[in-house]
């Protein structure tokens, strides 16, 4: 059997429990056709890069699938019919990723880091020291002197 990573985008209007029910429904389809789903991750509601069917946000879920191609094809067919599914993408991989995916690791890192922990400047800029005065140009000196006389 082949190994797949499948990402599912569901409408923002549905609740997280409804998304879990959708994932369980699709997981059941895969298992009924001789496959297995060893890992399911819910990534939460995220902003979309562009509008999809008038939606600006979506619920993201990842499924690691170990199944024959026919099972994945049937699951994708059911997703096309379901109006709560905005988009999906299935990619065949050589091996399934163990542990948390990069998206969940990123969320953990974002929750741990606080922008105020970086120091007084926020940590984003290189500390260059105090600002120096720049030398005046000749045309600046004449314009300010004539403006002051008027």
């Amino acid at each position: 059997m082949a190994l797949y990573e499948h990402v599912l985008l569901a409408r923002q209007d549905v609740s997280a429990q409804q998304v879990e029910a959708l994932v369980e429904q699709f997981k059941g389809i895969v298992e009924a056709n001789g496959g297995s789903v060893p890992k399911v991750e819910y990534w939460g509601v995220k902003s979309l890069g562009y509008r999809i069917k008038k939606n600006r946000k979506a619920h993201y879920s990842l499924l690691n699938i170990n199944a024959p191609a026919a099972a994945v094809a049937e699951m994708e067919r059911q997703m096309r019919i379901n109006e709560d599914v905005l988009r999906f993408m299935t990619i065949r991989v050589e091996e399934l990723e163990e542990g948390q995916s990069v998206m969940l690791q990123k969320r953990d890192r974002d929750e741990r880091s606080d922008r105020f922990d970086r120091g007084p400047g926020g940590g984003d800029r290189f500390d260059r020291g105090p600002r120096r005065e720049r030398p005046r140009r000749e045309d600046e000196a004449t314009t300010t002197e004539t403006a002051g006389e008027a």
Side-chain angles (χ1 to χ4, degrees):
M1 287 192 277
L3 303 173
Y4 301 93
E5 286 186 354
H6 180 83
V7 177
L8 159 74
L9 277 67
R11 288 185 318 140
Q12 178 188 1
D13 302 352
V14 300
S15 67
Q17 291 80 18
Q18 290 173 312
V19 173
E20 288 177 19
L22 273 174
V23 168
E24 288 300 318
Q25 174 188 349
F26 298 130
K27 185 177 174 180
I29 292 169
V30 169
E31 291 171 350
N33 288 306
S36 66
V37 182
K39 180 171 83 170
V40 176
E41 287 184 358
Y42 175 68
W43 291 345
V45 178
K46 299 195 174 294
S47 296
L48 298 170
Y50 53 90
R51 280 189 177 184
I52 300 174
K53 297 180 184 175
K54 299 181 181 178
N55 291 283
R56 294 182 182 272
K57 293 186 176 189
H59 293 270
Y60 283 68
S61 292
L62 169 76
L63 287 79
N64 281 352
I65 301 171
N66 182 4
V72 175
E74 175 61 20
M75 179 187 67
E76 288 180 346
R77 187 184 74 80
Q78 293 290 330
M79 285 188 181
R80 282 188 205 96
I81 294 170
N82 195 319
E83 64 185 26
D84 290 333
V85 177
L86 296 175
R87 288 278 194 281
F88 59 86
M89 183 170 63
T90 308
I91 299 174
R92 185 172 177 179
V93 294
E94 294 296 322
E95 62 183 70
L96 294 175
E97 189 176 292
E98 295 293 325
Q100 285 187 333
S101 66
V102 175
M103 291 296 286
L104 286 183
Q105 291 171 4
K106 178 183 167 201
R107 184 189 307 165
D108 290 345
R109 185 174 57 241
D110 289 345
E111 289 172 357
R112 280 183 289 158
S113 71
D114 189 49
R115 63 180 154 174
F116 300 111
D117 290 343
R118 296 181 190 153
D124 293 339
R125 294 193 172 151
F126 179 74
D127 186 18
R128 292 177 250 178
R131 188 171 180 175
R132 291 179 280 142
E133 292 290 324
R134 66 179 177 95
R136 281 186 133 180
R137 294 190 318 213
E138 290 179 23
D139 57 340
E140 285 182 5
T142 57
T143 56
T144 53
E145 290 171 4
T146 56
E149 293 174 1

